Amino acid sequence: MTGTTAQESIALSNASNMSRQDILLSCKKCTNGNKVTVEFSDATFTFHAQWLHDSRCDDGPSKNATTAICEQPLSTVRVKTVQTSGLGIHMTLDVSWDDGLESKFPASWLRVMASLVARIDQPARKHSIPNGWLVDTLKIPEISYKELFREGLTQEQLDDVTVNVLDKVLGASSSEPGIVKIIDLPDPNLENERNHRDNLVTEVLKRLFRSVFMHPIRGSDQTFNVSSHSDDARRAVGVPNYDTSQALLPHSDHAFYDNPIQVEGFYCLEGESENTWVSVFAALTSLREVSPQSYEYLCKTPMAFGRVSRFYGDPLYQATVDTAVSMQPGSDQVKRVRWHPNLTGSLLAPYDDYKEARLAHQKFQEILRRDTHQLKLIFKPGDLYVWDNFRVLHGRERVFKVPRTGVGQTVPEQVVHDRYRDLHINMLKKYGINEDWLIHMPMPQLREMLKLMKEHY
């Protein structure tokens, strides 16, 4: 008999204190053994036996040349026996197959994957989730800089704080606002802030995500400064983002990149302006309600984005083609909105669709500018906001006091995903979940699984 590792001992100790509510109530296979029906505490699902066989992780998450799914025989594997074992959240579905293999599926893993791949025989309980926020419903969460950088903070404590912040920014549910304000900031180092290096917004984002965007010319860790004076002011030539004398319409940054950044932080160093933020979920919901047809055209019509930056020496030409709305693969759930009226060239709609497509984009812009949807805040020295660039658009109405300097920093989508995923997997491992089952799990299901584990402890 092998010894128990320290991590397993902790998991077993935790298990003894957990709720005894069983997550898995019953199971049965069909007569032919090609389907398995599982009754959970909140819903009943039927799985393809072949899907269960394909997703088994008894020998690790990776496949070799003979075990890869696409190399398997066309004939369907069948279940010989199926039963449940264990208690509470640590129950498993134990399956033996007609090819001689045996598998133990964690019940919590199986439950969160069920909504993606299984047939629902008994509908799960529905939860009402708000579709974004309107101005009169929004309360921006405040996160203390002192809590993020508290002396003596253990790694586990920092991970808990970080997940709490990222849930609010990235949206563990669509009810999360997608934006937070960092408060209790120390006084800035004016020289560092103006020189684009070693500044507060970069420090905060690296604390949360470990790294930030590396610009192809500016290099690593350097901010972009939007300023009414100094050398930064010359960036206003041909690039409306940097022209503080004019309004900047609600937009997502890096709209002209093939892979836009996902998280953005913006810090007010000096001056005062009226800045804006808009929930794309709320705007899309409003558009779909008033004109379902326009919503469809907005989602399917590609458009060209581009800009030339002449302030780096040789001009930097950047452009891409995409639709305004991108969906999560295989679903109608919005993943990202790419929107920048100031840097959009034209709609690339087929001739017969052009008028409807153009009208859809105009309707969406009108909704974004409504007082009910567009939050207007006075952006003043010491303010630092962090938001999800995929879910929240931002803009600038006017500058009230000059000199005015805003210091911005961004985080790429891959860095965001890797960090968020790493935090969830490490937390789930503390509940005794073997990481092999987590490697291929989509991020929404990882979030749901962590929530499920916490609810049962």
Side-chain angles (χ1 to χ4, degrees), residues 376-420:
K376 298 179 181 179
L377 295 176
I378 302 302
F379 191 54
K380 56 188 184 301
D383 287 348
L384 171 55
Y385 292 92
V386 176
W387 65 91
D388 186 342
N389 188 54
F390 291 179
R391 303 174 61 217
V392 177
L393 305 183
H394 67 287
R396 180 188 63 244
E397 287 294 292
R398 58 185 65 83
V399 172
F400 293 125
K401 293 182 181 179
V402 293
R404 187 266 194 183
T405 300
V407 183
Q409 184 60 274
T410 58
V411 187
E413 179 183 5
Q414 192 64 55
V415 172
V416 172
H417 284 197
D418 289 350
R419 176 62 170 148
Y420 204 30

Side-chain angles (χ1 to χ4, degrees), residues 174-342:
S174 61
S175 62
E176 299 289 359
I179 181 172
V180 298
K181 183 178 183 180
I182 309 298
I183 61 172
D184 301 327
L185 292 165
D187 293 334
N189 181 310
L190 295 179
E191 183 177 356
N192 287 347
E193 297 291 343
R194 288 171 177 152
N195 289 335
H196 305 259
R197 286 188 176 277
D198 301 323
N199 38 45
L200 287 170
V201 65
T202 301
E203 182 185 24
V204 168
L205 291 180
K206 291 187 76 170
R207 184 68 162 177
L208 295 172
F209 297 100
R210 295 181 175 168
S211 65
V212 293
F213 177 67
M214 181 172 178
H215 191 272
I217 293 179
R218 289 199 305 264
S220 61
D221 292 0
Q222 289 208 39
T223 57
F224 62 91
N225 288 10
V226 181
S227 182
S228 61
H229 63 294
S230 75
D231 288 342
D232 292 313
R234 64 190 178 91
R235 299 184 179 206
V237 178
V239 184
N241 301 53
Y242 292 99
D243 188 350
T244 59
S245 68
Q246 63 170 290
L248 180 61
L249 295 171
H251 66 282
S252 57
D253 270 357
H254 284 206
F256 44 87
Y257 280 71
D258 280 344
N259 299 296
I261 56 92
Q262 183 169 2
V263 170
E264 181 160 357
F266 202 52
Y267 173 71
C268 183
L269 178 66
E270 57 190 345
E272 196 171 282
S273 58
E274 183 179 52
N275 285 40
T276 61
W277 286 270
V278 185
S279 166
V280 296
F281 286 163
L284 289 172
T285 298
S286 295
L287 179 64
R288 187 162 47 187
E289 288 173 351
V290 299
S291 178
Q293 184 179 22
S294 290
Y295 176 80
E296 294 300 322
Y297 275 106
L298 184 75
C299 292
K300 74 177 185 179
T301 303
M303 50 185 170
F305 302 87
R307 84 169 190 184
V308 54
S309 304
R310 303 186 185 279
F311 40 80
Y312 291 117
D314 292 335
L316 176 62
Y317 299 100
Q318 295 172 293
T320 193
V321 173
D322 200 1
T323 54
V325 182
S326 296
M327 300 297 182
Q328 296 287 358
S331 78
D332 59 356
Q333 296 179 353
V334 176
K335 172 187 177 181
R336 174 184 67 221
V337 168
R338 186 193 295 260
W339 191 260
H340 206 316
N342 299 83

